[in-house]
Amino acid sequence: MGRLSWSSRSLLNSPKTNESENNETVKRAQFPEDLFSEEQRKRGAVILHVMGMVYMFVALAIVCDEFFIPALDVITVKLDISEDVAGATFMAAGGSAPELFTSVIGVFISFDDVGIGTIVGSAVFNILFVISMCAIFSKSVLQLTWWPLFRDVSFYSVILIILMHFFRDSIIYWWEALVLLLCYASYVTFMKFNEGVEKMLKKLLNRNKVTRVGSTDHLMPHYK
């Protein structure tokens, strides 16, 4: 009876053991093995990882400052496109290249959903952290207007609503991906006419605005 109960218990526990082993195998397959063991990392080897990250950040900053920005200026001049279109295409592609490759690796190599979190999380990081750090460490006064924020937030909100609607069934079909690409194409097209739309909208908003003139103390229409 003892053997029977022991074997029965082993048989009952074996699926859980196999499941945990399979989960561990999947986790190991998603990421490459570390050069250092866990004990070595606890003894200080993790500092090498931190140094590597700092090195990559500095290298990325140098590449962007010395090569990427000048190359973008040359492309803008050669193709005769506005800075708004260049920022929405080339600058956005260069800045989002890490998220793109992370998503590709997550979908086609590790078969994980890390790509979605990376994309949405990077957008939050860019909006909150990058803008705040630029404002804190800026050496000059930044002249900002409400229009770029209103424009981009409007597009971003609409696209997020569409994305949440597509994620309701946890499946992205090809036509849904095509809709997202068309949304980006519409944003780039809008940026082509950004200056004209901005002037027209500001003119409509300031149509009934008046300015007080101190010398004559009367009101006169204010136009831009």
Side-chain angles (χ1 to χ4, degrees):
M1 294 295 292
R3 288 184 179 179
L4 181 59
S5 61
W6 176 258
S7 60
S8 301
R9 182 176 298 177
S10 300
L11 290 175
L12 290 174
N13 291 335
S14 59
K16 295 182 179 179
T17 304
N18 294 333
E19 184 178 356
S20 61
E21 291 178 354
N22 292 334
N23 293 334
E24 186 67 23
T25 303
V26 171
K27 291 181 180 179
R28 291 179 180 177
Q30 289 179 353
F31 305 99
E33 294 184 1
D34 198 341
L35 295 176
F36 304 101
S37 63
E38 184 176 357
E39 185 65 25
Q40 290 174 334
R41 291 195 298 269
K42 290 181 179 179
R43 292 182 177 180
V46 68
I47 298 178
L48 297 178
H49 292 286
V50 176
M51 294 174 60
M53 291 177 58
V54 173
Y55 173 79
M56 294 302 297
F57 280 126
V58 174
L60 183 62
I62 294 175
V63 170
C64 291
D65 187 36
E66 299 293 335
F67 300 98
F68 182 67
I69 300 299
L72 183 64
D73 294 336
V74 174
I75 292 174
T76 303
V77 174
K78 292 294 184 180
L79 297 180
D80 192 21
I81 58 178
S82 63
E83 294 182 356
D84 295 327
V85 177
T89 53
F90 298 107
M91 179 67 76
S96 300
E99 290 87 350
L100 174 62
F101 287 104
T102 301
S103 301
V104 171
I105 293 174
V107 172
F108 297 103
I109 297 179
S110 64
F111 301 100
D112 197 0
D113 58 350
V114 67
I116 302 301
T118 300
I119 295 172
V120 179
S122 65
V124 176
F125 178 83
N126 293 333
I127 294 174
L128 300 179
F129 184 82
V130 175
I131 294 178
S132 61
M133 294 299 290
C134 291
I136 291 174
F137 293 100
S138 176
K139 297 181 180 179
S140 60
V141 179
L142 300 176
Q143 300 294 334
L144 303 177
T145 60
W146 61 270
W147 170 249
L149 180 63
F150 173 78
R151 176 198 64 207
D152 293 341
V153 168
S154 299
F155 272 96
Y156 190 62
S157 300
V158 172
I159 293 174
L160 279 182
I161 293 174
I162 296 175
L163 190 62
M164 288 188 295
H165 177 71
F166 289 164
F167 277 166
R168 289 190 307 169
D169 54 357
S170 301
I171 299 175
I172 296 295
Y173 296 96
W174 67 268
W175 62 269
E176 294 175 339
L178 181 61
V179 169
L180 296 177
L181 287 177
L182 292 177
C183 290
Y184 176 70
S186 64
Y187 173 71
V188 175
T189 304
F190 181 86
M191 295 300 293
K192 177 67 176 178
F193 308 97
N194 174 60
E195 294 182 2
V197 175
E198 180 182 1
K199 292 179 180 179
M200 181 182 65
L201 186 59
K202 287 184 176 180
K203 186 176 181 180
L204 291 175
L205 294 176
N206 297 328
R207 181 175 54 184
N208 297 325
K209 188 175 181 180
V210 294
T211 302
R212 179 176 295 275
V213 180
S215 59
T216 58
D217 197 25
H218 69 276
L219 298 178
M220 62 179 299
H222 177 75
Y223 299 98
K224 282 189 177 181

